Amino acid sequence: MEPINQVSSVITPLDRKNVDTDQIISKEFLKRIERTGFGRFLFYHWRFDKQGNEISDFVLNKPEYKGSQIIVAQDNFGCGSSREHAPWAILDYGFRVVIAPSFADIFHNNCFKNGILPIKLTEAECDEILTKGMEKPYSVDVDLEKQTVSGEDGKVYNFNIDQYYKEMLLNGWDEIALTFKYEDKIAEYEANRIAY
């Protein structure tokens, strides 16, 4: 995984509650066997009409949000099925950070495992950021080390994160990489254990 510490970007204000994993990546796009290539299907049925044309008033299709690396949404982001394809699609599209008041547990954990920083802010804080971002493009600086989201207007929002996940993201480790940190100890154990 790519390490993550500071992300500076205009936000993508997705002012919706209960964004479920089938909306993030619809079931008909789950046939791929790789982890890559899902970004073009992110929020597909919100982004495109039945003829495959972009729906111009959907936030991801607005030119001022192109290249954004930060989504801000409402409560219960990532609810629904446990498909890991949802964070794959978010990351493949280019987002590194998702900010919301709450996340579905499995989606929240899958973000950390795939190099996405899910930040929980209060509902009032998310509303404030969303309002600013819907009025005009609004940029923020996310600093994982300091655990802050700093708006271009000087407003600073603090967030909490489990130290284990913070270390994993800062170093770009997934659980396999974390295991390899102890490769010498594992080899020593295997060399000394008694075979039965």
Side-chain angles (χ1 to χ4, degrees), residues 38-73:
F38 288 99
R40 66 179 187 247
F41 306 120
L42 180 68
F43 300 123
Y44 190 85
H45 296 295
W46 290 347
R47 286 171 57 205
F48 302 101
D49 64 21
K50 290 182 180 179
Q51 288 72 45
N53 302 309
E54 282 191 356
I55 298 170
S56 61
D57 63 347
F58 182 62
V59 65
L60 264 68
N61 293 333
K62 294 183 177 181
E64 59 265 37
Y65 303 115
K66 296 289 184 188
S68 171
Q69 297 180 69
I70 302 169
I71 300 175
V72 181

Coordinates of all heavy atoms in Angstrom, one line a residue, residues 38-73:
F38 N -11.7 -0.6 -10.9 CA -13.1 -0.4 -10.5 C -13.5 1.1 -10.4 O -14.7 1.4 -10.3 CB -13.3 -1.1 -9.1 CG -13.3 -2.6 -9.1 CD1 -12.2 -3.3 -8.8 CD2 -14.4 -3.3 -9.5 CE1 -12.2 -4.7 -8.8 CE2 -14.5 -4.6 -9.5 CZ -13.3 -5.4 -9.2
G39 N -12.5 2.0 -10.5 CA -12.8 3.4 -10.3 C -13.8 3.9 -11.3 O -14.6 4.8 -11.0
R40 N -13.7 3.4 -12.5 CA -14.6 3.9 -13.6 C -16.1 3.6 -13.3 O -17.0 4.1 -13.9 CB -14.1 3.5 -15.0 CG -14.3 2.0 -15.2 CD -13.8 1.7 -16.6 NE -14.0 0.3 -17.0 CZ -13.1 -0.6 -17.2 NH1 -11.8 -0.2 -17.1 NH2 -13.3 -1.8 -17.5
F41 N -16.3 2.6 -12.4 CA -17.7 2.2 -12.1 C -18.1 2.8 -10.7 O -19.3 2.5 -10.3 CB -17.7 0.7 -12.0 CG -17.2 0.0 -13.2 CD1 -16.2 -0.9 -13.1 CD2 -17.8 0.2 -14.5 CE1 -15.7 -1.6 -14.3 CE2 -17.3 -0.4 -15.6 CZ -16.3 -1.3 -15.5
L42 N -17.3 3.6 -10.1 CA -17.7 4.2 -8.8 C -19.0 5.1 -9.0 O -19.1 5.9 -9.9 CB -16.5 5.1 -8.3 CG -16.8 5.8 -7.0 CD1 -16.8 4.8 -5.8 CD2 -15.7 6.9 -6.7
F43 N -19.9 4.8 -8.1 CA -21.2 5.5 -8.1 C -21.8 5.5 -9.5 O -22.4 6.5 -10.0 CB -21.1 7.0 -7.6 CG -20.5 7.1 -6.2 CD1 -19.4 7.8 -6.0 CD2 -21.2 6.5 -5.2 CE1 -18.9 7.9 -4.7 CE2 -20.7 6.6 -3.9 CZ -19.6 7.3 -3.6
Y44 N -21.7 4.4 -10.3 CA -22.0 4.4 -11.7 C -23.4 4.8 -12.0 O -23.7 5.6 -12.9 CB -21.8 3.0 -12.2 CG -21.9 2.9 -13.7 CD1 -20.8 3.2 -14.5 CD2 -23.1 2.6 -14.4 CE1 -20.9 3.1 -15.9 CE2 -23.2 2.5 -15.7 CZ -22.1 2.8 -16.5 OH -22.2 2.8 -17.9
H45 N -24.4 4.4 -11.2 CA -25.8 4.7 -11.5 C -26.2 6.1 -11.1 O -27.3 6.5 -11.4 CB -26.7 3.6 -10.9 CG -26.5 2.3 -11.5 ND1 -26.8 2.0 -12.9 CD2 -26.0 1.1 -11.0 CE1 -26.5 0.7 -13.1 NE2 -26.0 0.2 -12.0
W46 N -25.4 6.7 -10.3 CA -25.6 8.2 -10.0 C -24.8 9.0 -11.0 O -25.2 10.1 -11.3 CB -25.0 8.5 -8.6 CG -25.9 7.9 -7.5 CD1 -27.1 7.3 -7.6 CD2 -25.5 7.8 -6.1 NE1 -27.6 6.9 -6.4 CE2 -26.6 7.2 -5.4 CE3 -24.4 8.2 -5.4 CZ2 -26.6 6.9 -4.1 CZ3 -24.4 7.9 -4.0 CH2 -25.4 7.3 -3.4
R47 N -23.7 8.5 -11.6 CA -22.9 9.3 -12.5 C -23.4 9.3 -13.9 O -23.2 10.2 -14.7 CB -21.5 8.8 -12.5 CG -20.7 9.1 -11.2 CD -19.4 8.4 -11.1 NE -18.5 8.7 -12.3 CZ -17.6 7.8 -12.7 NH1 -17.3 6.7 -12.0 NH2 -16.8 8.1 -13.7
F48 N -24.1 8.1 -14.3 CA -24.4 7.9 -15.7 C -25.9 7.6 -15.9 O -26.5 6.9 -15.0 CB -23.6 6.8 -16.4 CG -22.1 7.1 -16.3 CD1 -21.3 6.5 -15.3 CD2 -21.5 8.0 -17.2 CE1 -20.0 6.7 -15.2 CE2 -20.1 8.2 -17.1 CZ -19.4 7.6 -16.1
D49 N -26.5 8.0 -17.0 CA -27.9 7.6 -17.3 C -27.9 6.3 -17.9 O -26.8 5.6 -18.1 CB -28.6 8.7 -18.1 CG -28.0 8.9 -19.5 OD1 -27.3 8.0 -20.0 OD2 -28.3 10.0 -20.0
K50 N -29.1 5.8 -18.3 CA -29.2 4.4 -18.9 C -28.5 4.3 -20.3 O -28.2 3.2 -20.7 CB -30.7 4.0 -19.0 CG -31.3 3.8 -17.7 CD -32.7 3.4 -17.8 CE -33.3 3.2 -16.4 NZ -34.7 2.8 -16.4
Q51 N -28.2 5.4 -20.9 CA -27.5 5.4 -22.2 C -26.0 5.6 -22.0 O -25.3 5.5 -23.0 CB -28.0 6.5 -23.1 CG -29.4 6.3 -23.7 CD -30.5 6.5 -22.6 OE1 -30.5 7.4 -21.9 NE2 -31.5 5.6 -22.6
G52 N -25.6 5.7 -20.8 CA -24.1 5.8 -20.5 C -23.6 7.2 -20.5 O -22.4 7.5 -20.5
N53 N -24.5 8.2 -20.6 CA -24.1 9.6 -20.6 C -24.0 10.1 -19.2 O -24.8 9.8 -18.3 CB -25.2 10.5 -21.4 CG -25.4 10.0 -22.8 OD1 -24.4 9.8 -23.5 ND2 -26.6 9.7 -23.2
E54 N -23.0 11.0 -19.0 CA -22.8 11.6 -17.7 C -24.1 12.4 -17.2 O -24.6 13.1 -18.0 CB -21.6 12.5 -17.6 CG -20.3 11.8 -17.6 CD -19.1 12.8 -17.3 OE1 -19.3 14.0 -17.2 OE2 -18.0 12.2 -17.1
I55 N -24.4 12.3 -16.0 CA -25.5 13.1 -15.4 C -24.8 14.3 -14.9 O -24.1 14.3 -13.9 CB -26.3 12.3 -14.3 CG1 -26.9 11.1 -14.9 CG2 -27.3 13.2 -13.6 CD1 -27.5 10.1 -13.9
S56 N -25.1 15.5 -15.5 CA -24.2 16.6 -15.3 C -24.3 17.2 -13.9 O -23.4 17.8 -13.4 CB -24.6 17.7 -16.3 OG -25.9 18.1 -16.2
D57 N -25.5 17.0 -13.2 CA -25.6 17.6 -11.9 C -25.1 16.7 -10.7 O -25.2 17.1 -9.6 CB -27.0 18.1 -11.6 CG -28.0 17.0 -11.6 OD1 -27.7 15.8 -12.0 OD2 -29.2 17.2 -11.2
F58 N -24.6 15.5 -11.1 CA -24.0 14.7 -10.0 C -22.6 15.2 -9.7 O -21.8 15.5 -10.6 CB -24.0 13.2 -10.4 CG -23.4 12.4 -9.3 CD1 -24.1 12.3 -8.1 CD2 -22.2 11.7 -9.5 CE1 -23.5 11.5 -7.0 CE2 -21.7 10.9 -8.4 CZ -22.4 10.8 -7.2
V59 N -22.3 15.3 -8.4 CA -21.1 16.0 -8.0 C -19.8 15.5 -8.6 O -18.9 16.3 -9.0 CB -21.0 15.9 -6.4 CG1 -20.8 14.5 -5.9 CG2 -19.9 16.9 -5.9
L60 N -19.6 14.2 -8.8 CA -18.4 13.7 -9.4 C -18.2 14.1 -10.9 O -17.1 14.1 -11.4 CB -18.3 12.2 -9.3 CG -17.5 11.6 -8.1 CD1 -18.2 11.9 -6.8 CD2 -17.3 10.1 -8.3
N61 N -19.3 14.5 -11.5 CA -19.3 14.9 -12.9 C -19.0 16.4 -13.1 O -18.9 16.9 -14.2 CB -20.5 14.5 -13.7 CG -20.6 13.0 -13.8 OD1 -19.6 12.3 -13.8 ND2 -21.9 12.5 -13.8
K62 N -19.0 17.2 -12.0 CA -18.8 18.6 -12.1 C -17.3 18.9 -12.2 O -16.5 18.4 -11.4 CB -19.4 19.3 -10.9 CG -20.9 19.2 -10.8 CD -21.5 19.9 -9.7 CE -23.0 19.9 -9.7 NZ -23.7 20.6 -8.6
P63 N -16.9 19.7 -13.2 CA -15.5 20.0 -13.4 C -14.7 20.5 -12.2 O -13.5 20.2 -12.0 CB -15.5 21.0 -14.6 CG -16.8 21.5 -14.7 CD -17.8 20.5 -14.1
E64 N -15.4 21.3 -11.3 CA -14.7 21.8 -10.2 C -14.2 20.8 -9.2 O -13.4 21.1 -8.3 CB -15.5 22.9 -9.5 CG -16.9 22.5 -9.0 CD -18.0 22.7 -10.0 OE1 -17.8 22.5 -11.2 OE2 -19.1 23.1 -9.5
Y65 N -14.8 19.6 -9.2 CA -14.4 18.5 -8.3 C -13.5 17.5 -8.9 O -13.1 16.5 -8.2 CB -15.6 17.9 -7.7 CG -16.5 18.9 -7.0 CD1 -17.8 19.2 -7.5 CD2 -16.1 19.6 -5.9 CE1 -18.6 20.1 -6.9 CE2 -16.9 20.6 -5.3 CZ -18.2 20.8 -5.8 OH -19.0 21.7 -5.2
K66 N -13.2 17.6 -10.2 CA -12.3 16.6 -10.8 C -10.9 16.6 -10.1 O -10.4 17.7 -9.8 CB -12.1 17.0 -12.3 CG -13.4 16.9 -13.1 CD -13.9 15.4 -13.3 CE -15.1 15.4 -14.2 NZ -15.7 14.1 -14.3
G67 N -10.4 15.5 -9.9 CA -9.1 15.3 -9.2 C -9.1 15.4 -7.7 O -8.1 15.3 -7.1
S68 N -10.3 15.5 -7.2 CA -10.5 15.5 -5.7 C -10.0 14.2 -5.1 O -10.2 13.2 -5.7 CB -12.0 15.8 -5.4 OG -12.2 15.6 -4.0
Q69 N -9.4 14.3 -4.0 CA -8.9 13.1 -3.3 C -9.7 12.8 -2.0 O -9.4 11.9 -1.2 CB -7.4 13.2 -3.0 CG -6.6 13.3 -4.2 CD -5.1 13.4 -3.8 OE1 -4.5 12.4 -3.3 NE2 -4.5 14.6 -4.1
I70 N -10.7 13.7 -1.7 CA -11.4 13.6 -0.4 C -12.9 13.7 -0.6 O -13.4 14.7 -1.2 CB -10.9 14.8 0.5 CG1 -9.4 14.8 0.8 CG2 -11.7 14.8 1.9 CD1 -8.8 16.0 1.4
I71 N -13.6 12.7 -0.1 CA -15.1 12.7 -0.1 C -15.5 13.1 1.3 O -15.0 12.6 2.3 CB -15.6 11.3 -0.4 CG1 -15.2 10.8 -1.8 CG2 -17.2 11.3 -0.4 CD1 -15.7 9.3 -2.0
V72 N -16.6 14.0 1.3 CA -17.2 14.3 2.6 C -18.7 13.9 2.4 O -19.3 14.3 1.4 CB -17.1 15.7 3.0 CG1 -17.8 16.0 4.3 CG2 -15.6 16.1 3.0
A73 N -19.2 13.1 3.3 CA -20.6 12.6 3.2 C -21.3 12.7 4.5 O -20.8 13.2 5.5 CB -20.6 11.1 2.6

